[in-house]
Amino acid sequence: MSYAAYKMMHWPTGIDHCAAGFITHSPAEAAAFSSLGPTISGPEGDIDSAAARAPQRVGPTPNLVVVAANVLEVYAVRTDTVMGAEDGGTSSSAGAILDGISGARLELVCYYRLHGNIESMALLSDGTENTRDSITLAFKDAKIACLEFDDSINGLRTSSMHCFEGPDWLHLKRGRESFACGPVIKADPQGRCGAALFYGLQMIILKAAQVGQSLVGEDEPTRMLSSAAVRIDSSYVIDLRLLEMNHIKDFTFVHGYIEPVLVILHEQEPTWAGRISSKSQTCMISAFSISMSLKQHPMIWSFAKLPHDAYQLLAVPPPISGILVICANSIHYHSQSTSCSLALNSFSSQPDGSPETLKTSFHVELDAAKATWLSHDIVMFSSKNGEILLLTVVYDGRAVQRLDLMKSKASILSSGATTLGSSFFFLGSRLADSLLVQFSFGVPTSVLPDLTDECADIEGDPPFAKRIKRVPSDVLQDVNSVEELSFHNNSVPNSLDSAQKISFVVRDALINIGPLKDFAYGLRTNSDPNAAGIAKQSNYELYWLFQVCCSGHGKNGTLSALQQSIRPDLITEVELPSCTGIWTVYYKSSRGITTEDNEYHAYLIISLESRTMVLQTGDDLGEVTETVDYNVQASTIAAGNLFGRRRVIQVYAKGARVLDGSFMTQELNFTMHSSESSLSSEPLAAASASIADPYVLLKMVDGTIRLLVGDHSNCTISVNAPAVFASSSERISSCTLYRDRGSEPWLRRARTDAWLSTGIGEATDGNDGSSHDQSDIYCIICFESGKLEIFEVPSFKCVFSVEDFVSGLAILSDDLSHTKDAVIGVPDATTVSVKKEEANNIKIVELAMHRWSGQFSRPFLFGLLNDGTLLCYHAYCYGGLESNAQCAPLSPNGSSDLDNASDSRLRSLRFRRVSIDVSSRDDISSFTRPRITIFNNVGGYEGLFLGGPRPTWVFVCRQRFRVHPQLCDGPIVAFTVLHNVNCCRGLIYVTSQGFLKICQLPSAYNYDNYWPVQKVPLHGTPHQVTYYAEQSLYPLIVSVPVVRPLNQVLSSMADQELGLHIENDVTIGDDLQKVYTVDEFEVRIMELEKPSGRWETRFTIPMQPFENALTVRIVTLQNTTTKENETLMAIGTAYVQGEDVAARGRVLLFSFSKSENSQNLFQVTEVYSKESKGAVSAVASLQGHLLIASGPKITLNKWTGSELTAVAFYDAPLHVVSLNIVKNFILFGDIHKSIYFLSWKEQGSQLSLLAKDFGSLDSFATEFLIDGSTLSLVVSDSDKNLQIFYYAPKMVESWKGQKLLSRAEFHVGAHVSKLLRIQMLPTQGLVSEKTNRFALVFGTLDGGIGCIAPVDELTFRRLQSLQRKLVDAVPHLCGLNPRSFRHFKSNGKAHRPGPDNIVDFELLSRYEELSLGEQLDIAQQVGTTRSQILSNFSDFSLGTSFL
């Protein structure tokens, strides 16, 4: 019996739902914050002063909430304003300027992975200035959770949960088990209630609490200044069957009534395509006034005879109000008094006797369109083929006169649209990258010069304007930076100009690699062919694999190249044994030649074990060790710049030197202080150093610290031993300096006297303007007891202290602050003294704190434990002055209740633990080299590099971590950045084998994703990809939509005689002038060019008209005439000609041959083609034979070199979706009848059925799972489950081997479209005799990638008992139960539950986020140790890091 583990490696990226609301701040706070311009903006009408214009036209911007499958993310929109529109022309490099905004981007606020897929989302907002919105989520069957943002933990917390499942609510289902769509939830615009539709016809009304009564009670004195969020009070159910409704299509709340009014779109009696001519107006809308106190819902108006294809309701915002009914072919406006409609094409029908409807000037179909209101009378549609349409509601007073629809530009195929404030909208997509777009009514003058510049809009990222690679390839390919859309309205009472112009600029994009239809893996461009020689641990060749995925659809179709780990592009390498550290330093000979950002490095300092090398980094690296005054006889501990890059400091064990270029200006020797030892001043060695201009913090060998203080006036330094630590006996385990830089240092906001200190003048202009922007220096020290303290430098006044930093609590707050309020959900681990040995051995060996660029960025704090765990914390402010920390000078009134005892403490500073997946588990002694290197610009990215045995890059993008390992060179001992002429924004690192490598990050990849990704636009829909290893080619099936005349389409579809009838029949002629869109298929053979990293199409094989290519595979066939193996490309196709023509298909075989001319390396020639009776849906090679699934028959063929001859066949039930082969075993999945297991016997030449699954299952993908000698069969199905079967003819319950037995079953929560078998890497921890273990990598339609891998029984039992413990031990957001989420979902079909033999790493990974005390407790309850659990985790992630 074998066991498996499930692990997601790349979380879903396809966005299902998006919404906008004030989650983290109320509109009033946002308005106060945005008005902090140079002048405080006046009332609305005042736009005289250019400076006040920018913050005001934009208005308060809400948060963006997006949902991708089970991932919930909250973003804030950050804008870069241009003060005054006059200087717009100068900064056009950053992008077009619109409304005084030069750029905008999304920044992550919080991110959660839930144990359940979110079916629907609504934001409850009561529309007032000073309350926040809350998020309501609906989950499968009937669960609702309401979330609000909690300032004290800087994240979301559940405020209420509502469940309508289980025995008490069975009567709501009315005996049905499966429902067509999941729950839908909508909210009242005034925030009085929400409504959720469950089980088809049950409407649940959620009543919101009265604001101000129960929200802020005596139990929550801490929330007095931060605004409260809307909460749900109670709920009740309305059975819509009693209101004589049968089929509900949509519902929404409308504006403009005293009580909430719910409008429901429902179909009275159903119709179908064959009855449209006689029965097409079947829908109606009914409006109900919801009285929540009486629980009554009288109908106030209704309107019948709407078209059958109505599918969506849009509530028109005030002052118009009313409702828009969106149909596929028409749009109707209804309110209690007036109604009007607009026909979109010739298919729209209207009831008899109704007034003539207006028609649009162009034809468009609106089914499956997403809509959002840009203003109170303009609604934007994103249609099913990616066009943007704008609908204007023309009104006079409250009477709507007509609807005007006009086309705008093309865009992405979207799954949702939402408007963010008054100047942005967001298009979420499952098929392409989601876009943040800024729009403006009326084009400001500064935009016009940019109209021609295609790229100006997307670059904008002020810190590094060159960062063009943040832009995904398929962002609005056909959109210029600014579009003008003219509305030509003849009588327009409601718009000011007669032609209103709207301009668009794309500001940001969230990457999406879904839906993954198929993937293959092959070698990278910069792979190292002879890597096997030096790689000791395992066959590293697997590491250079990367994955090529088919993702997207239609014009958004892309080829995504993904890799799990980074492999930098090598510029040069030299052998350099026994290196212990490298640093690059700047040197400003005279002040201010170049800007700070673009200055080249001057020297590279390399520290060996007993000496130091110095290299000049000019045009080339030249060694200048002999000619400089550096101490080259000793090994260097640290080197860096002081005094605004005018001096270099070199710290070595016995002392330090200050250098001006290559000349030494000062030398210091470290001695014991005379006060401590009066006998003699013995020299004392330094162990580590941290540099923050103008201070250097040294940690000595004996665990004390020294501070070197620099003096700006004469550029000298002096030693200072802080007196605070002279008395204390506690040993310091690690320490670092943090420089809080910027025009307004961030930590000042966390002070209790913050409002006093922000008013100080800007920068004291010293001898060097740049180094004197206000910077506060802090020293962070961690003691061996696990206590962390932050001190001001140079006074060494303690401003923040945490007792138990080592244990990794979820929230850190200052221990000595006035009232230690208990943080919810975090048990106070300091009170329970952990008397376990394991806890006492854990120390912090390295600390780092840094704040990366960006106006709104907040500092991160990192602590590296000696067992290899990296703790990450993100700072935030919470406390008395939280709500006006931003606008502190304006409102000093919050200071009345401050106690003066701890005035200068950072009382409102808190840290929130951020989970980070760094899987290096090794013991680090306390005197190793520092491993954390912070970089501010490597190839346009910022973040930190973690050296050691498993080197890892941690990029900081949008204030979130993107963790990418770098496995190609083994352990890395030293790392630094290098920026000079030949290596722009590059890096240098030294491997443990003694090679120094100078590299750059591959620029083709985008690192702001779970894995680095390169997207290649195909301008068509990709279907299948495979890899041809001998020549590194990727054959790929692509379909491109082509517009054809209708008569051409009809004549080729029907038989010939029928075609003549059609010609004679249709006399009108105008019908045949119409066009029809058909998909044309082709097979492209693509190659990744070695040096440039660009993808090129080398060869294209077109298919015949109406022929769809279904599969492409590289097969190895044995030629029976020459007895040699040939590698061919097999393509299976099908002709799609409607239901009247019998299906047929073709099998095509192509060979690759080397060509003579040197331009093309190879030639593709067709060697065989044959028609077959059914659609050829899968091909595979079996021991030199070709296995073809055509229609319901599987045939095995042998290849003679020119012919395929059938040798065996098997009749499949309906239609084969996938074929897999191991040795002589065949596994295939049927479209409805689950999986079949066959074997091929050479001597009888027969395919015989071994066993099958007797259940009915709609298979999506199948594959073999191999664990040693055990063979299992894995299948994924249409209900988002995975099942593992095995063949055991000896077992009684297998009916003498006819039936496949279930080994495990699991609910993935996403459609698994492809499974791929990859060999697992051997790990040191598992000395297992099973060498051939294979894991299955799968891709999902949500854009997620995961793996199913075998685990041995002992590990499985341990992790399974830990998993059962974690279900209760960890608080889950929304109260969702991970066990019920992972249960097999049969969707009402009969199913016998199988064994639970899969562990879920999604839940197990929560163990690493617990605090140390909780980790030890849970490990003890499970009966194992923490280190054992963590080593199992790291073994698993090492074994599956094969991409």
Side-chain angles (χ1 to χ4, degrees):
M1 190 78 184
S2 73
Y3 303 92
Y6 161 88
K7 182 180 186 181
M8 283 305 283
M9 302 152 93
H10 182 292
W11 285 272
T13 53
I15 289 177
D16 300 316
H17 311 285
C18 55
F22 291 93
I23 307 292
T24 58
H25 52 271
S26 65
E29 288 165 2
F33 172 64
S34 67
S35 66
L36 274 180
T39 63
I40 308 301
S41 50
E44 275 301 310
D46 168 34
I47 42 171
D48 308 330
S49 60
R53 188 182 310 164
Q56 192 186 348
R57 196 185 296 166
V58 174
T61 309
N63 296 97
L64 170 71
V65 186
V66 299
V67 165
N70 63 335
V71 176
L72 175 72
E73 295 173 328
V74 181
Y75 289 95
V77 181
R78 305 295 192 200
T79 55
D80 305 311
T81 52
V82 180
M83 286 310 175
E86 295 84 35
D87 58 346
T90 56
S91 64
S92 63
S93 65
I97 291 162
L98 204 59
D99 284 354
I101 289 182
S102 62
R105 61 197 172 281
L106 296 170
E107 233 171 58
L108 188 78
V109 177
C110 53
Y111 159 88
Y112 295 97
R113 303 205 291 265
L114 308 179
H115 297 289
N117 286 359
I118 298 167
E119 298 288 324
S120 168
M121 170 173 68
L123 296 193
L124 270 181
S125 147
D126 66 352
T128 54
E129 281 295 293
N130 50 7
T131 55
R132 302 185 183 181
D133 307 346
S134 54
I135 308 171
T136 49
L137 305 174
F139 298 94
K140 249 291 191 285
D141 281 3
K143 289 188 274 285
I144 303 174
C146 190
L147 303 172
E148 64 184 6
F149 191 78
D150 184 357
D151 287 319
S152 63
I153 59 170
N154 199 44
L156 298 177
R157 71 155 182 222
T158 314
S159 64
S160 65
M161 302 186 302
H162 314 265
C163 182
F164 298 92
E165 300 172 10
D168 298 347
W169 299 98
L170 269 179
H171 62 278
L172 295 182
K173 289 189 175 186
R174 299 264 170 150
R176 287 188 60 184
E177 279 299 325
S178 69
F179 296 92
C181 59
V184 183
I185 191 160
K186 299 276 172 83
D188 176 47
Q190 274 91 36
R192 294 163 295 193
C193 67
L197 183 69
F198 284 131
Y199 301 135
L201 286 166
Q202 304 291 339
M203 184 72 74
I204 291 163
I205 303 292
L206 305 162
K207 176 174 182 266
Q210 291 297 310
V211 179
Q213 284 181 6
S214 59
L215 289 189
V216 184
E218 297 75 50
D219 55 333
E220 297 187 25
T222 50
R223 292 179 66 97
M224 54 192 172
L225 278 160
S226 63
S227 46
V230 186
R231 290 190 187 171
I232 290 175
D233 195 13
S234 59
S235 64
Y236 66 95
V237 183
I238 304 175
D239 187 357
L240 297 179
R241 276 189 191 78
L242 307 176
L243 304 173
E244 269 132 38
M245 296 190 187
N246 304 323
H247 174 207
I248 292 179
K249 294 192 155 190
D250 196 16
F251 65 98
T252 189
F253 287 93
V254 288
H255 298 261
Y257 288 89
I258 299 167
E259 286 206 309
V261 170
L262 184 67
V263 178
I264 300 179
L265 169 69
H266 55 108
E267 198 167 23
Q268 283 301 87
E269 39 185 321
T271 182
W272 68 286
R275 297 272 297 150
I276 297 291
S277 54
S278 60
K279 184 172 162 186
S280 65
Q281 276 91 21
T282 57
C283 289
M284 67 176 287
I285 52 174
S286 314
F288 298 93
S289 174
I290 307 286
S291 165
M292 288 176 293
S293 51
L294 301 172
K295 295 193 179 179
Q296 288 179 348
H297 36 271
M299 184 194 289
I300 49 177
W301 53 273
S302 71
F303 190 89
K305 295 207 170 170
L306 285 167
H308 69 281
D309 53 10
Y311 69 97
Q312 192 182 6
L313 295 177
L314 291 181
V316 185
I320 314 173
S321 63
I323 200 143
L324 283 176
V325 185
I326 315 297
C327 314
N329 305 312
S330 54
I331 301 177
H332 306 259
Y333 170 82
H334 290 289
S335 69
Q336 215 160 340
S337 47
T338 58
S339 64
C340 62
S341 62
L342 175 70
L344 303 175
N345 53 42
S346 56
F347 296 112
S348 61
S349 60
Q350 59 206 58
D352 316 324
S354 64
E356 189 62 36
T357 55
L358 290 164
K359 282 205 160 89
T360 52
S361 55
F362 53 92
H363 285 259
V364 66
E365 294 169 13
L366 259 196
D367 54 323
K370 306 295 173 197
T372 182
W373 289 92
L374 297 188
S375 70
H376 69 94
D377 57 344
I378 296 179
V379 64
M380 180 194 78
F381 290 102
S382 169
S383 72
K384 63 178 178 184
N385 52 3
E387 286 179 312
I388 287 187
L389 307 165
L390 293 156
L391 177 78
T392 313
V393 181
V394 183
Y395 68 102
D396 185 3
R398 281 191 70 166
V400 172
Q401 295 175 334
R402 64 170 197 277
L403 306 172
D404 269 1
L405 186 72
M406 52 159 304
K407 272 191 181 179
S408 169
K409 283 294 188 269
S411 161
I412 57 172
L413 305 173
S414 62
S415 67
T418 182
T419 309
L420 296 158
S422 55
S423 53
F424 294 97
F425 64 85
F426 178 79
L427 290 172
S429 173
R430 284 177 57 90
L431 304 172
D433 295 345
S434 305
L435 303 184
L436 175 72
V437 184
Q438 186 188 349
F439 66 93
S440 170
F441 300 100
V443 183
T445 49
S446 62
V447 170
L448 299 174
D450 274 338
L451 271 171
T452 52
D453 185 1
E454 281 266 344
C455 230
D457 49 352
I458 316 176
E459 286 183 32
D461 205 20
F464 324 109
K466 290 200 208 66
R467 204 202 254 185
I468 217 159
K469 57 175 129 15
R470 283 186 64 255
V471 182
S473 52
D474 56 352
V475 170
L476 288 192
Q477 285 128 357
D478 29 13
V479 174
N480 302 331
S481 65
V482 173
E483 274 66 2
E484 300 184 26
L485 316 162
S486 307
F487 289 71
H488 297 292
N489 296 338
N490 315 330
S491 61
V492 192
N494 60 328
S495 56
L496 306 166
D497 324 27
S498 57
Q500 203 176 3
K501 290 187 167 76
I502 296 190
S503 33
F504 292 116
V505 183
V506 177
R507 289 299 189 196
D508 200 357
L510 297 181
I511 286 198
N512 167 30
I513 62 161
L516 297 180
K517 296 181 186 154
D518 190 19
F519 55 86
Y521 68 95
L523 286 158
R524 294 195 191 174
T525 43
N526 52 6
S527 63
D528 186 359
N530 52 8
I534 53 171
K536 294 198 294 282
Q537 284 154 288
S538 59
N539 56 342
Y540 263 97
E541 290 166 308
L542 280 169
Y543 279 135
W544 325 140
L545 300 174
F546 76 143
Q547 198 161 352
V548 178
C549 310
C550 295
S551 52
H553 179 81
K555 61 181 181 186
N556 299 130
T558 57
L559 188 75
S560 302
L562 292 151
Q563 51 192 49
Q564 202 174 356
S565 61
I566 290 180
R567 186 184 177 89
D569 289 335
L570 188 67
I571 296 177
T572 175
E573 73 173 319
V574 286
E575 196 160 348
L576 184 75
S578 73
C579 168
T580 58
I582 43 177
W583 298 269
T584 42
V585 291
Y586 299 98
Y587 170 55
K588 270 191 187 168
S589 48
S590 62
R591 245 186 355 269
I593 303 173
T594 56
T595 59
E596 283 248 350
D597 295 336
N598 215 17
E599 189 182 346
Y600 286 151
H601 287 109
Y603 294 103
L604 167 67
I605 300 164
I606 301 175
S607 163
L608 306 175
E609 273 173 6
S610 58
R611 60 191 186 91
T612 296
M613 289 167 64
V614 183
L615 281 79
Q616 203 158 2
T617 59
D619 294 339
D620 53 349
L621 293 179
E623 186 169 348
V624 289
T625 311
E626 305 306 318
T627 59
V628 291
D629 289 346
Y630 284 86
N631 182 356
V632 295
Q633 302 307 319
S635 129
T636 305
I637 287 174
N641 285 90
L642 288 183
F643 313 121
R645 297 184 177 175
R646 282 174 302 157
R647 296 284 186 275
V648 176
I649 180 162
Q650 177 202 10
V651 180
Y652 44 94
K654 299 281 189 289
R657 292 190 182 187
V658 180
L659 297 106
D660 185 352
S662 56
F663 306 109
M664 179 169 74
T665 58
Q666 186 186 1
E667 180 167 20
L668 275 181
N669 287 321
F670 306 143
T671 56
M672 295 280 282
H673 257 266
S674 52
S675 61
E676 293 173 22
S677 65
S678 51
L679 305 170
S680 67
S681 53
E682 323 161 8
L684 182 65
S688 65
S690 166
I691 301 174
D693 186 15
Y695 300 101
V696 181
L697 181 73
L698 305 167
K699 181 186 161 214
M700 297 306 192
V701 181
D702 66 346
T704 59
I705 59 173
R706 298 276 183 280
L707 185 71
L708 306 186
V709 184
D711 182 359
H712 264 288
S713 53
N714 52 9
C715 289
T716 57
I717 56 172
S718 56
V719 183
N720 167 14
V724 187
F725 306 113
S727 56
S728 78
S729 59
E730 277 201 89
R731 283 178 66 88
I732 291 170
S733 69
S734 61
C735 55
T736 183
L737 287 179
Y738 165 59
R739 178 174 175 199
D740 202 15
R741 67 181 74 209
S743 56
E744 184 194 342
W746 191 86
L747 282 176
R748 291 194 185 179
R749 300 181 192 167
R751 294 235 172 138
T752 40
D753 44 5
W755 57 278
L756 293 170
S757 60
T758 39
I760 312 175
E762 281 311 299
T764 54
D765 195 27
N767 20 5
D768 191 6
S770 62
S771 70
H772 270 291
D773 58 348
Q774 295 185 338
S775 296
D776 304 339
I777 310 277
Y778 295 92
C779 163
I780 301 140
I781 291 183
C782 193
F783 297 97
E784 294 206 343
S785 64
K787 181 176 175 185
L788 176 96
E789 297 199 330
I790 300 182
F791 298 90
E792 278 182 351
V793 175
S795 65
F796 274 95
K797 199 156 91 185
C798 177
V799 289
F800 184 85
S801 67
V802 174
E803 267 312 311
D804 201 11
F805 177 67
V806 169
S807 66
L809 298 167
I811 306 284
L812 302 181
S813 59
D814 188 8
D815 282 342
L816 297 181
S817 58
H818 48 305
T819 54
K820 179 88 169 97
D821 48 283
V823 180
I824 306 153
V826 183
D828 201 356
T830 52
T831 56
V832 188
S833 64
V834 182
K835 290 195 180 69
K836 303 196 179 79
E837 288 191 14
E838 207 175 342
N840 299 334
N841 303 336
I842 291 184
K843 306 268 184 298
I844 297 272
V845 290
E846 192 175 351
L847 279 171
M849 187 166 173
H850 192 72
R851 176 173 166 226
W852 279 279
S853 64
Q855 187 188 348
F856 298 97
S857 64
R858 313 194 304 272
F860 286 98
L861 172 67
F862 302 94
L864 188 63
L865 303 185
N866 56 0
D867 66 347
T869 313
L870 183 67
L871 299 178
C872 302
Y873 284 93
H874 202 175
Y876 65 97
C877 278
Y878 171 72
L881 288 163
E882 165 63 9
S883 58
N884 46 16
Q886 316 275 17
C887 42
L890 313 177
S891 53
N893 52 10
S895 64
S896 52
D897 60 328
L898 302 180
D899 55 333
N900 302 318
S902 56
D903 242 5
S904 59
R905 289 188 75 88
L906 302 172
R907 212 172 66 177
S908 50
L909 171 68
R910 290 199 179 179
F911 290 94
R912 175 173 66 111
R913 172 108 182 249
V914 184
S915 65
I916 182 168
D917 182 29
V918 177
S919 55
S920 83
R921 293 262 165 254
D922 57 315
D923 291 334
I924 306 169
S925 71
S926 53
F927 288 114
T928 47
R929 308 275 343 143
R931 292 191 167 186
I932 298 175
T933 312
I934 286 171
F935 58 87
N936 282 323
N937 193 343
V938 172
Y941 289 90
E942 49 188 12
L944 68 99
F945 182 83
L946 184 67
R950 269 180 76 81
T952 306
W953 292 80
V954 180
F955 293 103
V956 179
C957 307
R958 315 181 189 279
Q959 292 293 299
R960 83 184 286 174
F961 291 134
R962 297 296 197 180
V963 182
H964 305 308
Q966 176 180 326
L967 308 169
C968 55
D969 292 299
I972 287 179
V973 290
F975 172 93
T976 187
V977 295
L978 173 67
H979 180 47
N980 73 356
V981 183
N982 301 322
C983 175
C984 178
R985 302 272 175 236
L987 55 123
I988 308 180
Y989 60 87
V990 181
T991 67
S992 61
Q993 276 124 11
F995 287 92
L996 178 136
K997 303 196 175 191
I998 302 180
C999 306
Q1000 281 177 311
L1001 275 184
S1003 58
Y1005 283 88
N1006 190 327
Y1007 299 96
D1008 181 15
N1009 188 31
Y1010 300 105
W1011 287 3
V1013 59
Q1014 174 188 7
K1015 296 186 78 169
V1016 187
L1018 296 172
H1019 305 290
T1021 306
H1023 295 276
Q1024 243 190 12
V1025 64
T1026 186
Y1027 177 56
Y1028 178 45
E1030 286 172 32
Q1031 302 191 14
S1032 291
L1033 303 174
Y1034 293 90
L1036 174 76
I1037 298 177
V1038 182
S1039 67
V1040 183
V1042 182
V1043 175
R1044 290 255 182 271
L1046 192 62
N1047 48 5
Q1048 202 178 326
V1049 174
L1050 286 172
S1051 60
S1052 60
M1053 274 189 71
D1055 297 336
Q1056 298 316 309
E1057 321 85 75
L1058 222 95
L1060 298 171
H1061 285 302
I1062 293 177
E1063 297 295 328
N1064 309 339
D1065 224 22
V1066 182
T1067 47
I1068 312 153
D1070 118 278
D1071 267 359
L1072 289 179
Q1073 299 313 306
K1074 292 182 182 167
V1075 291
Y1076 185 73
T1077 308
V1078 287
D1079 279 340
E1080 296 210 338
F1081 279 76
E1082 61 191 29
V1083 175
R1084 292 184 196 169
I1085 296 176
M1086 298 185 74
E1087 184 180 21
L1088 182 54
E1089 280 193 351
K1090 277 287 153 70
S1092 66
R1094 284 209 319 278
W1095 286 83
E1096 297 293 337
T1097 303
R1098 293 274 176 246
F1099 207 83
T1100 304
I1101 304 167
M1103 296 292 125
Q1104 294 176 2
F1106 299 101
E1107 183 180 31
N1108 289 12
L1110 297 182
T1111 181
V1112 59
R1113 288 289 175 251
I1114 300 292
V1115 292
T1116 307
L1117 303 183
Q1118 189 183 22
N1119 189 328
T1120 52
T1121 47
T1122 64
K1123 298 283 186 259
E1124 283 179 359
N1125 283 347
E1126 295 180 23
T1127 304
L1128 303 172
M1129 178 173 73
I1131 301 176
T1133 71
Y1135 289 96
V1136 179
Q1137 294 176 308
E1139 57 185 21
D1140 301 326
V1141 183
R1144 51 201 178 90
R1146 282 199 305 165
V1147 179
L1148 306 168
L1149 292 180
F1150 289 85
S1151 72
F1152 298 97
S1153 56
K1154 297 269 195 307
S1155 64
E1156 289 72 45
N1157 54 354
S1158 57
Q1159 286 89 358
N1160 263 8
L1161 299 172
F1162 63 93
Q1163 229 166 339
V1164 181
T1165 47
E1166 181 180 317
V1167 292
Y1168 180 74
S1169 149
K1170 182 189 175 199
E1171 273 207 11
S1172 79
K1173 277 189 182 169
V1176 179
S1177 55
V1179 291
S1181 57
L1182 168 65
Q1183 295 181 344
H1185 297 58
L1186 183 64
L1187 195 63
I1188 302 172
S1190 69
K1193 184 176 284 216
I1194 296 178
T1195 53
L1196 188 66
N1197 301 269
K1198 63 171 192 263
W1199 171 242
T1200 62
S1202 59
E1203 271 302 317
L1204 282 177
T1205 50
V1207 288
F1209 71 93
Y1210 179 80
D1211 279 324
L1214 296 167
H1215 174 80
V1216 176
V1217 259
S1218 68
L1219 271 178
N1220 307 100
I1221 288 171
V1222 164
K1223 293 183 179 169
N1224 63 332
F1225 295 113
I1226 304 163
L1227 165 68
F1228 72 83
D1230 189 80
I1231 194 164
H1232 285 311
K1233 295 289 183 192
S1234 196
I1235 56 171
Y1236 284 67
F1237 186 40
L1238 314 175
S1239 76
W1240 152 247
K1241 294 195 184 65
E1242 190 84 52
Q1243 56 269 33
S1245 71
Q1246 58 178 7
L1247 289 173
S1248 54
L1249 173 70
L1250 293 176
K1252 62 175 184 172
D1253 173 25
F1254 278 78
S1256 69
L1257 197 70
D1258 301 352
S1259 314
F1260 264 49
T1262 57
E1263 188 54 271
F1264 288 103
L1265 181 63
I1266 299 172
D1267 179 16
S1269 59
T1270 319
L1271 188 68
S1272 309
L1273 297 82
V1274 181
V1275 57
S1276 67
D1277 64 41
S1278 59
D1279 290 326
K1280 307 185 179 180
N1281 305 307
L1282 266 173
Q1283 276 175 283
I1284 304 179
F1285 291 99
Y1286 67 108
Y1287 174 57
K1290 305 259 171 55
M1291 307 271 285
V1292 179
E1293 55 265 38
S1294 72
W1295 301 348
K1296 295 184 180 168
Q1298 297 177 60
K1299 183 180 178 188
L1300 289 172
L1301 300 178
S1302 172
R1303 180 163 271 159
E1305 54 185 27
F1306 189 79
H1307 183 67
V1308 178
H1311 287 122
V1312 174
S1313 53
K1314 167 77 191 254
L1315 293 158
L1316 179 74
R1317 194 170 67 236
I1318 299 185
Q1319 186 157 9
M1320 288 177 74
L1321 304 180
T1323 53
Q1324 306 87 5
L1326 293 172
V1327 192
S1328 128
E1329 66 284 354
K1330 296 181 178 173
T1331 46
N1332 62 334
R1333 296 195 118 168
F1334 285 82
L1336 297 185
V1337 177
F1338 61 81
T1340 73
L1341 294 185
D1342 295 326
I1345 299 167
C1347 71
I1348 298 274
V1351 290
D1352 52 275
E1353 181 165 4
L1354 189 67
T1355 313
F1356 172 77
R1357 296 275 178 236
R1358 182 182 300 124
L1359 294 180
Q1360 190 184 37
S1361 45
L1362 172 66
Q1363 173 177 315
R1364 287 177 177 155
K1365 200 83 211 155
L1366 285 175
V1367 172
D1368 309 326
V1370 182
H1372 305 292
L1373 192 72
C1374 301
L1376 293 165
N1377 186 340
R1379 280 187 64 186
S1380 76
F1381 177 44
R1382 295 306 182 187
H1383 251 280
F1384 186 90
K1385 307 273 190 296
S1386 61
N1387 198 13
K1389 298 194 273 290
H1391 174 76
R1392 268 189 68 191
D1396 177 22
N1397 284 341
I1398 297 190
V1399 287
D1400 176 21
F1401 268 88
E1402 281 294 271
L1403 174 57
L1404 291 173
S1405 64
R1406 296 292 300 273
Y1407 179 77
E1408 299 186 69
E1409 298 165 27
L1410 297 172
S1411 67
L1412 182 63
E1414 294 171 308
Q1415 285 184 353
L1416 294 168
D1417 283 347
I1418 289 178
Q1420 193 184 22
Q1421 290 164 5
V1422 169
T1424 178
T1425 61
R1426 169 179 181 269
S1427 53
Q1428 178 69 62
I1429 291 172
L1430 294 180
S1431 75
N1432 283 152
F1433 284 4
S1434 75
D1435 281 347
F1436 188 81
S1437 62
L1438 278 168
T1440 54
S1441 53
F1442 26 54
L1443 292 171

